[in-house]
């Protein structure tokens, strides 16, 4: 890495102690940016990188609520408003016990570049809580969301900051959050949240968008090698919203998805996953993957080990950060892997990324490959602003065009900087330059 960038990186790491995931995300981006600063010394002069690594605003708050037994519970809420050079802060809320400031900052930092790559007018932010929705009743989730919004509402707005879902936050939670925002502010401000229900301001395709987009991006990568999803053997990790829709889209393009996972284990279904059954169990019943193996013949359920023990030609990690390590990457490569599309944020460790890149595997990093979700959120904002709602076909076409555009931007940037096929470099530089130019134009703020 360039010595000037190294010094800035060291300062950033020292200023943010104990935030391992944020460090990882920052280091990975810095490793791509040396050549940009050679061409654009004005970025260094204006301390763009130093500014980019310091969130514009960080909000941490207490979330008190009462469980069904009447016991008082306390969680911690976060919203990190990272960068607004391109538009209002935009990014999801994650409800998961692992959430702390370092996770929210890594996600918010990634979101800046991801959102820039979409070409839509959205800045970067992220939030969430260490609340664990698992095993909680609808009433408990509602009370938690109402308490969370009772603080958050003063910081957000359609022109300020527009949250959406992430792990643990789906349509149900967005509904409760929106209801409380409306009640406190006395405003039906549709554009303040995305991922809303279709009858009250949501967009068609938003639920499918992240998983679909990941597959569309990966298909574009495969095309550069003269191949496609048709006939591929695919493994998907996770079984949440992103994973389920990635399974559906990959199979619609002729792939066989043989495995997916949840936090207790994974299933192997050599005939190809039955998406209808998977949706029924995970989305309708909020059940466990084990139930899938009990209801369909010829399915193995494995509790020990990792879904990455299953051979695949295409891997779509759609669960969570650092779920795929160097050892798993090496095993997949040995057994015929040709492409990886990250549906989750930073699911591959730095060692895993190095293994994929050294082996010449097509590797689509999350900030490019999973940008379809937030891009469709921006389409939802567009529909809200014009009080309109688009058809499924039209919205899906917009999503497809955006994903093809992101692939093109990453690939052409990698070519321009002399590293053809390096989508990590292409995504980091492509996103960074757009934000840096806007920051320069807007002065020292
Ligand atoms: N949480 C999603 C992401 O990681 C979507 C955010 C949004 O729609 O604002 O990009």
């Amino acid at each position: 890495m360039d010595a000037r960038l190294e010094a800035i990186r060291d300062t950033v790491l020292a200023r943010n102690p104990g935030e391992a995931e944020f460090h990882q995300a920052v280091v990975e981006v810095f490793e791509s940016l040396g050549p940009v600063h050679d061409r654009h010394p004005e970025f260094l002069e204006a301390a763009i990188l130093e500014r980019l690594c310091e969130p514009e605003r960080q909000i941490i708050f207490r979330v008190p609520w009462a469980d069904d037994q009447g016991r008082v519970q306390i969680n911690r809420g976060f919203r990190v408003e990272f960068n607004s050079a391109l538009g209002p802060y935009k990014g999801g809320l994650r409800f998961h016990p692992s959430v702390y400031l370092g996770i929210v900052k890594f996600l918010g930092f990634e979101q800046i570049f991801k959102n820039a790559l979409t070409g839509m007018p959205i800045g970067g932010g992220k939030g969430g809580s260490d609340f664990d929705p698992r095993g909680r009743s609808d009433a408990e989730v509602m009370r938690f969301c109402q308490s969370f919004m009772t603080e958050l509402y003063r910081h957000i707005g359609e022109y300020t900051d527009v949250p959406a879902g992430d792990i643990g936050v789906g349509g149900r939670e967005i509904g409760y959050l929106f209801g409380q925002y409306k009640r406190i502010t006395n405003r039906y401000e549709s554009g303040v949240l995305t991922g809303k229900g279709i009858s009250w301001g949501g967009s068609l395709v938003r639920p499918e968008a992240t998983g679909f987009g990941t597959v569309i991006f990966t298909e574009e990568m495969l095309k550069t090698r003269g191949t496609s999803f048709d006939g591929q053997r695919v493994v998907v990790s996770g079984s949440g919203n992103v994973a389920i829709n990635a399974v559906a889209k990959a199979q619609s393009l002729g792939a066989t998805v043989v495995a997916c996972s949840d936090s207790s284990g994974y299933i192997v279904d050599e005939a190809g996953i039955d998406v209808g059954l998977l949706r029924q169990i995970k989305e309708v019943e909020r059940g466990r993957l084990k139930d899938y193996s009990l209801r369909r013949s010829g399915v193995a359920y494995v509790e020990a080990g990792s879904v990455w023990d299953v051979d695949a030609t295409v891997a779509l990690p759609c669960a969570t950060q650092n779920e795929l390590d160097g050892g798993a990457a090496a095993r997949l490569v040995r057994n015929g892997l040709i492409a990886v599309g990250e549906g989750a944020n930073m699911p591959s460790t730095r060692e895993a990324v190095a293994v994929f890149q050294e082996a010449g595997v097509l590797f689509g990093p999350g900030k490019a490959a999973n940008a379809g979700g937030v891009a469709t959120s921006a389409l939802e904002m567009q529909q809200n602003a014009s009080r309109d709602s688009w058809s499924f076909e039209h919205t899906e076409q917009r999503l497809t065009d955006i994903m093809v555009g992101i692939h093109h931007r990453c690939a052409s940037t990698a070519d321009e900087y002399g590293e053809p096929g390096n989508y990590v470099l292409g995504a980091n530089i492509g996103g960074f330059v757009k934000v840096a130019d806007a920051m320069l134009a807007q002065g020292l703020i």
Side-chain angles (χ1 to χ4, degrees):
M1 193 192 296
D2 186 287
R4 298 160 304 175
L5 267 58
E6 253 174 38
I8 301 169
R9 176 201 64 192
D10 291 346
T11 308
V12 172
L13 302 196
R15 276 169 69 82
N16 298 279
E19 297 176 358
E21 297 81 4
F22 178 53
H23 293 184
Q24 184 182 342
V26 166
V27 169
E28 189 242 295
V29 168
F30 272 50
E31 278 175 353
S32 300
L33 296 184
V36 182
H37 287 86
D38 295 339
R39 288 191 197 183
H40 296 280
E42 70 275 18
F43 291 161
L44 276 175
E45 208 115 304
I48 294 293
L49 267 179
E50 291 92 324
R51 283 197 265 157
L52 203 53
C53 292
E54 186 68 23
E56 291 176 17
R57 193 175 297 104
Q58 308 185 53
I59 302 142
I60 304 180
F61 51 98
R62 179 173 69 197
V63 189
W65 55 285
D67 67 19
D68 284 345
Q69 285 70 46
R71 280 188 305 253
V72 173
Q73 303 278 347
I74 302 295
N75 286 99
R76 190 170 288 173
F78 301 90
R79 187 71 184 167
V80 172
E81 298 180 334
F82 229 116
N83 191 288
S84 62
L86 298 181
Y89 310 107
K90 182 83 197 86
L93 298 170
R94 176 177 294 192
F95 291 170
H96 191 271
S98 64
V99 167
Y100 75 108
L101 189 58
I103 292 271
V104 181
K105 280 169 67 179
F106 118 65
L107 291 164
F109 188 71
E110 293 262 305
Q111 201 85 44
I112 303 169
F113 305 98
K114 183 196 305 195
N115 294 4
L117 283 170
T118 66
M120 315 293 288
I122 42 179
K126 204 84 184 193
S129 174
D130 57 0
F131 172 70
D132 187 357
R134 185 122 65 96
R136 291 296 179 188
S137 68
D138 284 353
E140 288 176 317
V141 170
M142 181 178 76
R143 286 195 295 275
F144 174 81
C145 288
Q146 290 178 339
S147 181
F148 186 87
M149 186 53 86
T150 300
E151 172 58 33
L152 188 67
Y153 88 94
R154 68 187 87 247
H155 307 289
I156 63 176
E158 66 173 314
Y159 295 109
T160 314
D161 184 356
V162 184
D166 195 83
I167 293 172
V169 178
R172 174 182 61 171
E173 291 75 16
I174 294 294
Y176 296 147
L177 291 164
F178 185 78
Q180 183 72 351
Y181 182 85
K182 178 169 60 105
R183 179 199 210 181
I184 295 174
T185 61
N186 193 32
R187 282 165 62 86
Y188 203 107
E189 190 182 325
S190 301
V192 70
L193 289 168
T194 61
K196 298 181 293 296
I198 196 63
S199 62
W200 46 278
S203 174
L204 289 168
V205 193
R206 178 63 190 88
E208 295 85 0
T210 313
F212 276 25
T214 300
V215 170
I216 297 166
F217 186 92
T218 308
E219 178 85 343
E220 289 302 301
M221 293 199 297
L222 289 166
K223 279 189 202 164
T224 67
R225 300 262 170 97
T227 180
S228 71
F229 263 101
D230 195 19
Q232 303 292 346
R233 178 184 165 90
V234 178
V235 170
V236 172
S237 61
S239 49
N241 163 274
V242 181
I244 292 172
N245 289 294
V247 172
K249 187 71 175 177
Q251 296 203 144
S252 77
L253 294 178
T256 306
V257 182
V258 294
C260 69
S261 60
D262 65 16
S263 56
S264 312
Y266 65 91
I267 51 163
V268 182
D269 186 345
E270 291 289 345
I273 287 171
D274 176 341
V275 183
L277 179 59
L278 185 62
R279 280 195 198 282
Q280 171 65 26
I281 290 170
K282 299 303 291 192
E283 291 177 348
V284 180
E285 300 169 22
R286 294 184 189 272
R288 307 298 298 163
L289 217 41
K290 188 174 189 171
D291 299 338
Y292 180 98
S293 63
L294 301 175
R295 290 198 220 164
R296 187 167 146 94
S297 60
V299 178
Y301 176 72
V302 187
E303 244 166 44
S306 147
V307 72
W308 303 119
D309 294 337
V310 183
D311 295 347
T313 55
V314 178
L316 301 175
C318 297
T320 194
Q321 68 274 353
N322 292 328
E323 51 157 306
L324 201 172
D325 64 17
R331 194 164 49 247
L332 286 164
V333 166
R334 267 199 309 277
N335 293 323
L337 186 77
I338 59 167
V340 179
E342 291 190 325
N345 292 312
M346 210 169 72
S348 310
T349 64
R350 284 166 43 72
E351 294 72 33
V353 177
V355 169
F356 293 141
Q357 291 189 321
E358 272 155 34
V361 167
L362 293 163
F363 177 75
K367 62 172 78 73
N370 73 35
V374 76
T376 308
S377 278
L379 300 179
E380 183 173 332
M381 292 163 73
Q382 238 180 76
Q383 292 168 78
N384 293 154
S386 57
R387 300 186 186 278
D388 197 1
S389 51
W390 305 342
S391 69
F392 193 95
E393 292 67 31
H394 175 69
T395 316
E396 192 180 24
Q397 189 55 51
R398 290 286 308 264
L399 168 64
T400 304
D401 294 345
I402 290 167
M403 295 315 297
V404 171
I406 295 172
H407 176 271
H408 177 74
R409 206 159 302 137
C410 294
S412 60
T413 305
D415 287 347
E416 188 190 328
Y417 281 85
E419 295 207 30
N422 186 342
Y423 291 94
V424 172
L425 187 100
N428 287 338
I429 295 183
F432 172 77
V433 169
K434 195 156 181 216
V435 177
D437 280 340
M439 288 175 72
L440 265 188
Q442 292 172 22
L444 181 52
I445 52 170

